[in-house]
């Protein structure tokens, strides 16, 4: 199958953990996924942070180690190449907190669930997130903000509002083609984007080895691994 992109098309891409699976990063909900070995409530909620910041940092420090070792795969590279062919008409929204899209060469992207390699003040004191690649073995090693608050991972915990939503909504409303890659359709609002795009009249395509929970919302489903399917999938007129 090929997906043709016309000169009038605007493309919105949504990616999930599946696009990084072929880079060796575990997804969340597979049999050996991240939520198999950890309870969300222990590592990814505001309450977990209040109760056990050391445990939260231990979890995200381990993800940093894995993320630093991983390399972009052909699917990330295909996305960067597509962006280069569609100046001003391509937008990528990722739920992933790894930086493999950037390292593959993507530019016009947002991380709606945060960025693994940034940290910010736990007090929301107004200072912007800072770059932070560190791996923290103990809480003593975690720096504090000038305001005195401890730095927390720049991750959207369950129950918190995803980042950049106004921009995302605006990009969806302008898009004519939405391509969703490697996400199970279990987490909202991202799982609802296909519906918004569909209502705005866009074509909607899902790519992944199994059907997502929201499969019925898509115009087309391409079953296969992202790194195999994406290179060569698009023809740009
Ligand atoms: N290519 C494409 N898709 C793949 C591949 C692959 N090689 N391997 C697995 N997948 C698919 C799986 O079939 C599954 O549908 O990736 C999807 C991963 O789903 P989840 O583990 O649920 O990950 P995701 O949908 O990104 O999770 C959403 O949940 O816990 C939160 O914040 C976390 O951003 C995350 C959000």
């Amino acid at each position: 199958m090929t997906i043709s992109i016309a000169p009038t098309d605007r493309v919105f891409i949504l990616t999930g953990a599946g696009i990084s699976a072929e880079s060796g990063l575990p997804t969340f909900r597979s049999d050996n996924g991240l939520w198999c070995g950890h309870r969300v409530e222990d590592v990814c909620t505001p309450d977990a942070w209040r109760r056990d910041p050391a445990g939260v940092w231990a979890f995200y420090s381990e993800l940093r180690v894995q993320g630093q070792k991983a390399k972009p795969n052909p699917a990330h590279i295909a996305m960067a190449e597509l962006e280069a062919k569609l100046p001003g008409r391509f937008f990528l929204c990722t739920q992933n907190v790894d930086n493999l899209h950037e390292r593959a060469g993507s530019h016009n992207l947002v991380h709606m669930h945060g960025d693994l390699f940034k940290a910010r003040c736990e007090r929301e004191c107004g200072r912007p997130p800072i770059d932070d690649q560190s791996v923290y073995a103990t809480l003593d090693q975690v720096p504090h903000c000038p305001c005195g608050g401890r730095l927390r991972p720049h991750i959207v915990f369950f129950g918190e509002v995803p980042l950049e939503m106004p921009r995302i909504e605006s990009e969806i409303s302008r898009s004519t083609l939405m391509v969703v890659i490697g996400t199970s359709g279990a987490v909202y609002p991202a799982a609802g984007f296909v519906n918004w795009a569909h209502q705005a009249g866009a074509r909607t395509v899902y790519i992944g080895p199994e059907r997502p929970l929201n499969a019925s919302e898509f115009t087309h489903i391409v079953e296969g691994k992202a790194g195999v399917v994406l290179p060569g999938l698009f023809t740009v007129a």
Side-chain angles (χ1 to χ4, degrees):
M1 175 178 172
T2 57
I3 297 172
S4 51
I5 300 177
T8 49
D9 276 326
R10 295 186 68 93
V11 179
F12 184 104
I13 308 278
L14 171 67
T15 65
I19 198 165
S20 297
E22 290 157 82
S23 296
L25 298 181
T27 61
F28 289 91
R29 294 175 182 77
S30 61
D31 287 348
N32 295 315
L34 286 169
W35 295 151
C36 222
H38 299 88
R39 292 186 339 138
V40 172
E41 314 86 77
D42 291 340
V43 293
C44 192
T45 62
D47 193 45
W49 175 253
R50 275 189 293 273
R51 267 187 293 114
D52 182 19
V56 172
W57 265 122
F59 178 71
Y60 287 102
S61 290
E62 174 55 29
L63 290 193
R64 283 182 174 181
V65 171
Q66 293 176 13
Q68 281 157 349
K69 281 192 210 142
K71 293 192 174 56
N73 69 52
H76 298 105
I77 293 164
M79 290 300 90
E81 288 176 353
L82 184 61
E83 178 176 356
K85 289 181 191 157
L86 299 171
R89 300 193 284 133
F90 178 99
F91 183 78
L92 197 160
C93 172
T94 185
Q95 296 170 88
N96 299 344
V97 297
D98 67 54
N99 59 7
L100 296 178
H101 281 302
E102 291 91 327
R103 284 164 56 199
S106 287
H107 296 288
N108 198 19
L109 87 160
V110 299
H111 285 271
M112 67 178 288
H113 289 168
D115 186 331
L116 184 57
F117 298 107
K118 289 190 172 163
R120 70 168 194 264
C121 179
E122 64 178 347
R123 292 185 186 161
E124 310 290 349
C125 70
R127 289 181 178 81
I130 57 163
D131 291 336
D132 181 13
Q133 299 263 345
S134 302
V135 168
Y136 299 116
T138 67
L139 208 49
D140 300 346
Q141 298 171 348
V142 177
H144 284 72
C145 177
C147 82
R150 185 179 278 132
L151 290 189
R152 59 164 270 183
H154 184 47
I155 297 287
V156 177
F157 293 150
F158 278 88
E160 295 181 327
V161 180
L163 307 175
E164 309 254 21
M165 283 307 294
R167 186 169 167 205
I168 291 168
E169 286 181 41
S170 149
E171 291 289 348
I172 293 176
S173 68
R174 296 197 298 167
S175 66
T176 58
L177 171 64
M178 174 178 281
V179 182
V180 178
I181 304 157
T183 173
S184 58
V187 174
Y188 284 80
F193 290 175
V194 60
N195 193 257
W196 302 356
H198 190 74
Q199 282 175 2
R203 286 180 288 163
T204 55
V205 183
Y206 180 79
I207 295 157
E210 46 196 26
R211 294 170 72 80
L213 294 172
N214 54 356
S216 62
E217 313 269 358
F218 288 90
T219 342
H220 296 290
I221 304 248
V222 185
E223 281 190 42
K225 292 184 175 185
V228 176
V229 171
L230 281 172
L233 181 66
F234 300 98
T235 55
V236 178

